[in-house]
Amino acid sequence: MSEKVLMKGNEAIAEAAIMAGCRHYFGYPITPQTEIAAYMSKRMPQIDGVFLQAESEIAAINMVIGVSSTGKHVMTSSSSPGISLKSEGLSYLAGCDLPAFVVNVQRGGPGLGGIQPSQSDYWQATRASGHGDFRRIVLAPDSVQEMVSLTFKGFDLADKYRMTTLLLADGTIGQMMEPVSLDMGEVTKYEKPWAVTGTKGIRKPNIVNSLFLQPEVLEKYNIERYERYKTVEENEVMYEEYMMDDAEFCIVAFGIAARVAKNAIKQAREKGIKAGMIRPITLWPFPKAALAKAAEKVRAFISVELSMGQMIDDVELSIRCKKPVILCSRVGGMIPTPENVLAALDEAGKIGG
Amino acid sequence: MIYKRVTLFAGHYGSGKTNIAVNYALMLKKREDDVAIADLDIVNPYFRTKDSMDVIEKAGIRLISSDYAGSNVDIPALPSEAYSLVQNKRLHAVIDVGGDDRGATALGRYVPYLLDENNYEMLFVINRFRPLTADAESTVRIMKEIESACKMRFTSLVHNSNLGAETTAEDIFSSVSYAENVSRLSGLPVKMTAAREDIAGELTGRIENIFPIRLHIYGFMN
């Protein structure tokens, strides 16, 4: 399909997942991502797929574990409070080394919070959903087109590294409509000798398991897993640099915040302020090297977020606190304005001399 | 343009109902004193008629809308004043019905009044660039789902094939045959073809009944 179509961010995720070969969707409705489930409920029956509204988010993530064990592409989606419920299952997916694709279209928190956009699940996404030592790949789209391309890529990365890929979007990108191309190319097929597909009497049974009572064995699996994570960090970092060539101030922003920051940078440049941006597309692995390199030449960093300041930790870690880092943020469903970012640039100009 | 006392806009979500409804209400206000627009969209709490409140209020049009997205309730509800739409016969009303069959369910309670008065038009807004209504068959399928959810029949079509701000005159022109197919399959006439006002001129003479619209509901900035 080369012609563009007009899609909502949430629908774009659903259609791209289908194109990536996903025929199993399990979920439970929650604003602002319900269109994913609504779209799947219409499309899956047309293509012989499974759409199932589970009795809860916990049930849905456990259904994901089941289907993934058989080697098939599978996904679930939710918004912030629902992802908290899925945390246990996310840890089990990691402990079993199962590929899965999970979407969080973030809304304001904590608790039930609100239904307007937020990025306050950054820590949850990159560090803290689920117990134990594990990582997941976290992708952050900033347009409906990237909802398509990163969903497609997310399934591939999950299979390639036997990991969960989390697509971390927000309510705005989930709800907004933009023209998109659905031309994604071929799906790469990976061998899955570990999958539970029936022995047919010719091989030993495969067992998908995360329980290892012998500490030596559990340690070995953890270390092996982290070696795999290291190859992800070496090979899969994605980011966009915007007007960084001569930048004196480096804005770091992802998702909808990056769209706002781009507008602010254009306005700042008109006023003669040399601002640029590094937009992380993978939040894990975080583009540490790109930021460290920028730290050698810029005067200060500005972390633009829809949270009280979460990604700012990774910015400071990446640059080893070599330069000042200013937080520019709105929370609770509010979105920073270009004016907020320009004010932060003014502040940076005063302290970053 | 011929119009009735009540005009309802429904369609697949994302078909552009809300923009059309707002523009239609502005057009009506030039001809009628008392015009109201009602946002019955309880499905999508993000981009709704309410977002164009300024334009609507400046024009002196009454807005009837649920407070769902802006309030602390997690359950959408329609305000009681929505009944004035069907009960106040001096009022010209535009009703923006929620997307798909789920959105149209909310209309049900007003249907007996509308049918009884029989002074309404119910318009089905169609957009070929939406993947689930990319051909006439799937479009008519969604039309029937909406009709059975709200227990009302559409009276005509609004052709609104568009790619948002990127739409060209050619995009609309190349969709005319799609609209004709939907018309044939549904038995409904095409009342008008909407086009952003800056490209509407290019289509005049090539397509009948062009309805120029200004986009009041956008996606997000750039």
Side-chain angles (χ1 to χ4, degrees):
Chain A
M1 199 187 298
S2 59
E3 196 180 41
K4 282 191 171 181
V5 290
L6 187 64
M7 293 192 95
K8 241 184 191 214
N10 286 333
E11 298 171 329
I13 291 171
E15 188 59 42
I18 288 167
M19 289 169 57
C22 179
R23 292 295 178 274
H24 294 82
Y25 173 90
F26 306 106
Y28 188 85
I30 178 170
T31 305
Q33 64 80 54
T34 300
E35 293 84 1
I36 302 176
Y39 193 91
M40 287 299 198
S41 74
K42 285 208 154 57
R43 283 284 280 131
M44 283 301 192
Q46 295 170 2
I47 52 174
D48 224 8
V50 175
F51 162 83
L52 200 152
Q53 180 174 324
E55 66 270 34
S56 71
E57 286 86 349
I58 299 168
I61 192 76
N62 281 286
M63 291 171 187
V64 168
I65 294 173
V67 170
S68 181
S69 301
T70 71
K72 294 194 185 307
H73 279 169
V74 57
M75 73 174 286
T76 183
S77 64
S78 193
S79 178
S80 310
I83 299 293
S84 295
L85 286 167
K86 291 181 195 293
S87 292
E88 181 193 55
L90 289 167
S91 173
Y92 279 62
L93 279 165
C96 299
D97 295 307
L98 290 171
F101 185 73
V102 178
V103 179
N104 180 3
V105 182
Q106 300 167 91
R107 56 189 254 177
L112 275 176
I115 59 170
Q116 297 295 331
S118 166
Q119 296 180 329
S120 53
D121 302 342
Y122 180 91
W123 283 335
Q124 184 199 51
T126 58
R127 287 160 171 78
S129 54
H131 58 280
D133 275 318
F134 74 99
R135 289 292 194 179
R136 74 181 70 82
I137 296 165
V138 183
L139 306 177
D142 81 336
S143 65
V144 178
Q145 186 65 61
E146 273 195 356
M147 290 289 224
V148 174
S149 58
L150 294 181
T151 294
F152 196 80
K153 188 169 176 83
F155 276 93
D156 182 79
L157 290 171
D159 267 5
K160 191 172 174 185
Y161 296 104
R162 292 179 66 180
M163 288 176 71
T164 295
T165 302
L166 178 76
L167 188 83
L168 190 70
D170 64 73
T172 312
I173 299 180
Q175 293 293 326
M176 70 189 190
M177 293 185 76
E178 288 181 327
V180 292
S181 159
L182 292 171
D183 210 353
M184 286 292 111
E186 292 292 304
V187 177
T188 309
K189 289 249 190 292
Y190 293 88
E191 291 297 317
K192 296 181 177 176
W194 47 265
V196 182
T197 54
T199 64
K200 301 178 183 71
I202 52 170
R203 65 157 166 80
K204 281 188 184 168
N206 285 336
I207 296 171
V208 174
N209 174 39
S210 69
L211 178 67
F212 302 98
L213 293 174
Q214 285 175 287
E216 298 83 356
V217 176
L218 184 54
E219 183 186 52
K220 181 172 90 70
Y221 280 125
N222 270 286
I223 290 169
E224 282 176 8
R225 195 168 292 128
Y226 269 70
E227 280 165 8
R228 193 149 31 90
Y229 294 166
K230 197 157 165 275
T231 63
V232 178
E233 289 187 277
E234 285 163 3
N235 299 316
E236 306 297 350
V237 172
M238 288 190 283
Y239 60 94
E240 178 197 354
E241 281 198 1
Y242 181 71
M243 295 196 176
M244 278 302 292
D245 286 347
D246 62 344
E248 290 178 19
F249 303 98
C250 176
I251 291 170
V252 187
F254 66 95
I256 197 64
R259 300 271 287 245
V260 177
K262 264 189 192 172
N263 278 339
I265 289 167
K266 282 177 205 153
Q267 292 175 31
R269 291 260 167 185
E270 281 167 20
K271 296 200 293 180
I273 301 165
K274 288 182 177 169
M277 174 166 66
I278 294 177
R279 173 173 74 92
I281 298 171
T282 48
L283 300 179
W284 192 89
F286 197 72
K288 288 182 199 167
L291 264 71
K293 190 163 151 260
E296 289 166 17
K297 54 176 194 172
V298 303
R299 286 165 58 188
F301 288 80
I302 297 160
S303 188
V304 183
E305 306 181 46
L306 279 67
S307 76
M308 291 302 290
Q310 299 193 6
M311 180 184 65
I312 194 170
D313 285 1
D314 278 335
V315 176
E316 289 183 329
L317 281 169
S318 298
I319 65 166
R320 304 281 167 194
C321 297
K322 277 182 192 153
K323 292 284 163 72
V325 186
I326 291 167
L327 176 68
C328 170
S329 85
R330 299 291 300 273
V331 296
M334 302 302 292
I335 300 173
T337 59
E339 291 70 34
N340 294 147
V341 181
L342 288 168
L345 277 166
D346 278 346
E347 194 190 332
K350 285 172 201 150
I351 62 162
Chain B
M1 191 179 295
I2 297 162
Y3 52 85
K4 303 281 183 160
R5 192 185 73 73
V6 179
T7 311
L8 303 110
F9 291 93
H12 177 39
Y13 71 57
S15 57
K17 297 175 297 300
T18 300
N19 265 313
I20 303 273
V22 170
N23 279 277
Y24 198 83
L26 291 168
M27 184 275 291
L28 275 182
K29 183 63 191 168
K30 289 178 190 155
R31 294 162 175 78
E32 300 290 340
D33 286 337
D34 202 1
V35 176
I37 184 165
D39 180 0
L40 297 199
D41 191 345
I42 56 168
V43 170
N44 181 353
Y46 266 71
F47 303 117
R48 309 184 317 165
T49 320
K50 231 185 151 182
D51 294 341
S52 29
M53 195 137 52
D54 280 356
V55 187
I56 292 166
E57 280 179 353
K58 263 185 211 140
I61 297 168
R62 279 198 264 163
L63 171 66
I64 297 167
S65 158
S66 101
D67 269 334
Y68 175 34
S71 73
N72 281 329
V73 291
D74 211 9
I75 299 169
L78 294 167
S80 56
E81 62 181 317
Y83 274 102
S84 69
L85 299 170
V86 289
Q87 289 172 339
N88 179 356
K89 304 282 161 60
R90 287 187 305 276
L91 183 71
H92 277 76
V94 173
I95 301 182
D96 177 9
V97 181
D100 289 343
D101 46 344
R102 295 171 302 144
T105 307
L107 183 64
R109 66 168 89 164
Y110 309 106
V111 170
Y113 300 92
L114 292 167
L115 294 178
D116 192 42
E117 185 194 4
N118 196 23
N119 190 4
Y120 70 89
E121 265 191 296
M122 177 143 151
L123 306 177
F124 183 48
V125 182
I126 60 173
N127 179 2
R128 176 173 77 89
F129 294 101
R130 296 282 291 139
L132 295 188
T133 56
D135 56 55
E137 288 73 21
S138 52
T139 306
V140 171
R141 196 180 312 135
I142 285 182
M143 183 190 99
K144 289 185 173 151
E145 285 171 8
I146 294 171
E147 286 183 334
S148 73
C150 66
K151 307 197 169 46
M152 260 178 99
R153 292 291 172 89
F154 285 103
T155 56
S156 54
L157 305 172
V158 176
H159 180 212
N160 188 40
S161 286
N162 77 90
L163 281 166
E166 280 186 24
T167 318
T168 64
E170 217 40 52
D171 288 332
I172 298 173
F173 193 66
S174 68
S175 305
V176 167
S177 60
Y178 156 79
E180 286 168 355
N181 286 340
V182 177
S183 175
R184 196 161 46 237
L185 211 58
S186 63
L188 300 175
V190 180
K191 182 184 169 79
M192 58 196 185
T193 298
R196 225 173 47 234
E197 55 186 1
D198 56 301
I199 56 173
E202 293 175 58
L203 293 163
T204 315
R206 295 171 79 191
I207 302 176
E208 282 177 25
N209 301 325
I210 287 287
F211 182 59
I213 57 166
R214 187 173 290 184
L215 299 187
H216 295 293
I217 312 281
Y218 303 93
F220 203 66
M221 62 191 75
N222 82 16

